[in-house]
Amino acid sequence: MDTTGPLSSDGLVQLLTPSGERIGHEQFDAYASHLTAHDLRAFWRDMTVLRAFDMEATSLQRQGELGLWVQSWGQEAAQIGSGHALREPDFVFPSYREHGVALTRDVDLVEILRIFRGLQHGAWNPADHGFHLYSLVIGTHALHATGYAMAMDRDGLVASGTPAADGAVVAYFGDGATSQGDVSEAMVFAAVNNAPVVFFVQNNQFAISEPATRQSRVPIADRGKGFGIPSVRVDGNDVIASHAVTRWALEHARSGQGPVLIEAFTYRRGAHTTSDDPTRYRSKAQEEYWAERDPIARLDAYLTSTGELTDEFRAQVAAECKALGERTRTTVRSWSKPATATMFDHVYALPHATVEAERAWFERYESSFEDLEAAR
């Protein structure tokens, strides 16, 4: 396996080895010291539930119930670990693969599927969860996140003197997005304005089908250094390290010290989306190599070795996964196709003359078929 440049393991923060051994780290061990066995079981539970949901959604797409699905398979540790570092005042700007972070922000996973069935542009109220709607255009939301973070700072919601009330913003995106101009511009604004934003890059090694080695000659985290943004590389398949590093980064941002770039080095076990065929651009040997570094298996091994993962708890989570799968299937299949004219709803927050004119034209167009049928 290529382990140089953007695929190098040099400098990766790791607190849990692939075999499940807990190890220390001079800087970041302190940011995981608060984690109890209960917390780690919650991490294991969330990752397990997320994967079960992911597989159910994939099956529904294959059955024609969804137009598309974007898996997070293999990236559970980066998402669940970082998501559990967030607090109520924080705000998240996801891309379109952050189902695990959505879970930690109490978004109903089933509701997310309304987007991928083509029913809605967004299926939750961002203000209720501190979690913005998915961004399907790569990299654009990094600018939105930076602007939101600048506003939080100017509203006195950062470094306020009351640490428990302070917040920060996290923008999640993949390695491919770091090659987009929007992300570069976001980092410029974030750096010069000292914005309280954490750029969380899930380097799953492929921008759709383009490997990271075709995007950069150095680790992705090094891109932050060019903007004067402190950068950290973390083992993205290590849920404990992902949590610890994000916790440090959020404290840094909330305290008024400015932006941070985190590169979570992980691997996308599935396809980019269900319309993709990863066998065209990666090898079986590579897939097997990363399967041995599975994030859930890693935490499972650790909790099993410490006697903290009982058969009773496993059965409880398995039952929860089964129930979620059944609810997902039943709910998705119950959704009916909306009237076509609803595509004009919610385009703008307020009535808009152009949209209303287009709606009126469309209604006349549809009714013309009814008139034609009646004339027959």
Side-chain angles (χ1 to χ4, degrees):
M1 311 301 294
D2 186 357
T3 57
T4 61
L7 303 183
S8 169
S9 60
D10 292 346
L12 286 180
V13 176
Q14 188 178 85
L15 296 175
L16 197 62
T17 68
S19 61
E21 178 188 357
R22 180 71 166 86
I23 57 177
H25 188 279
E26 183 179 0
Q27 179 181 359
F28 293 105
D29 209 35
Y31 291 90
S33 61
H34 66 290
L35 294 174
T36 64
H38 175 79
D39 294 326
L40 295 180
R41 280 194 297 272
F43 288 1
W44 183 89
R45 174 264 176 195
D46 283 359
M47 290 195 292
T48 303
V49 167
L50 172 61
R51 183 168 296 183
F53 169 75
D54 211 343
M55 296 306 172
E56 187 64 48
T58 301
S59 295
L60 285 169
Q61 192 282 328
R62 296 308 191 202
Q63 295 164 25
E65 300 291 349
L66 301 176
L68 186 76
W69 180 238
V70 183
Q71 287 187 315
S72 56
W73 181 23
Q75 299 178 217
E76 295 92 351
Q79 294 192 16
I80 297 301
S82 63
H84 275 283
L86 294 159
R87 302 191 318 206
E88 193 277 330
D90 300 322
F91 204 92
V92 174
F93 283 81
S95 57
Y96 45 70
R97 200 186 299 275
E98 279 68 52
H99 322 310
V101 186
L103 176 62
T104 68
R105 300 301 273 178
D106 295 324
V107 174
D108 184 358
L109 292 177
V110 179
E111 288 300 300
I112 293 174
L113 300 182
R114 289 183 182 274
I115 302 170
F116 296 93
R117 194 172 168 91
L119 301 179
Q120 295 177 208
H121 293 298
W124 59 89
N125 185 342
D128 292 342
H129 302 277
F131 188 82
H132 201 268
L133 301 179
Y134 277 1
S135 176
L136 302 181
V137 181
I138 294 178
T140 56
H141 62 296
L143 284 165
H144 308 155
T146 299
Y148 194 97
M150 291 167 61
M152 287 180 69
D153 185 28
R154 294 174 186 183
D155 285 346
L157 303 177
V158 179
S160 65
T162 307
D166 292 335
V169 175
V170 183
Y172 287 89
F173 45 85
D175 49 291
T178 65
S179 298
Q180 293 289 111
D182 302 58
V183 172
S184 177
E185 293 162 12
M187 290 187 184
V188 170
F189 273 88
V192 300
N193 289 282
N194 212 45
V197 57
V198 176
F199 297 109
F200 195 100
V201 183
Q202 293 174 85
N203 179 3
N204 64 23
Q205 306 184 42
F206 294 96
I208 306 182
S209 59
E210 194 77 343
T213 51
R214 294 287 299 274
Q215 301 171 64
S216 176
R217 298 184 64 180
V218 298
I220 298 297
D222 286 358
R223 290 186 166 179
K225 298 175 183 178
F227 300 94
I229 297 177
S231 304
V232 183
R233 299 189 78 218
V234 63
D235 183 340
N237 284 15
D238 177 350
V239 69
I240 300 177
S242 295
H243 176 80
V245 167
T246 308
R247 188 166 177 242
W248 166 81
L250 283 166
E251 289 185 8
H252 178 99
R254 294 184 195 120
S255 63
Q257 299 181 69
V260 174
L261 174 75
I262 297 173
E263 178 199 349
F265 187 59
T266 181
Y267 187 79
R268 167 167 55 77
R269 294 281 304 278
H272 176 71
T273 71
T274 47
S275 65
D276 173 41
D277 178 9
T279 64
R280 295 172 64 88
Y281 54 82
R282 68 188 192 193
S283 68
K284 188 69 174 178
Q286 185 184 41
E287 292 179 347
E288 292 173 352
Y289 175 87
W290 283 99
E292 294 172 357
R293 286 152 180 78
D294 183 80
I296 301 178
R298 183 182 303 201
L299 182 59
D300 190 304
Y302 174 68
L303 289 173
T304 299
S305 69
T306 56
E308 296 292 351
L309 200 58
T310 65
D311 290 342
E312 182 182 8
F313 186 74
R314 289 179 184 276
Q316 176 185 325
V317 174
E320 186 178 359
C321 291
K322 182 178 180 180
L324 176 61
E326 292 174 352
R327 182 167 71 89
T328 301
R329 290 190 295 275
T330 302
T331 303
V332 169
R333 289 169 178 162
S334 72
W335 288 332
S336 58
K337 183 179 178 180
T340 309
T342 59
M343 65 180 169
F344 297 102
D345 297 342
H346 311 300
V347 177
Y348 294 100
L350 298 173
H352 192 281
T354 301
V355 174
E356 292 309 311
E358 290 173 346
R359 184 200 298 271
W361 177 89
F362 185 78
E363 289 174 348
R364 291 195 301 273
Y365 174 73
E366 279 202 316
S367 65
S368 68
F369 290 96
E370 298 175 3
D371 296 340
L372 182 62
E373 186 65 28
R376 291 177 179 176

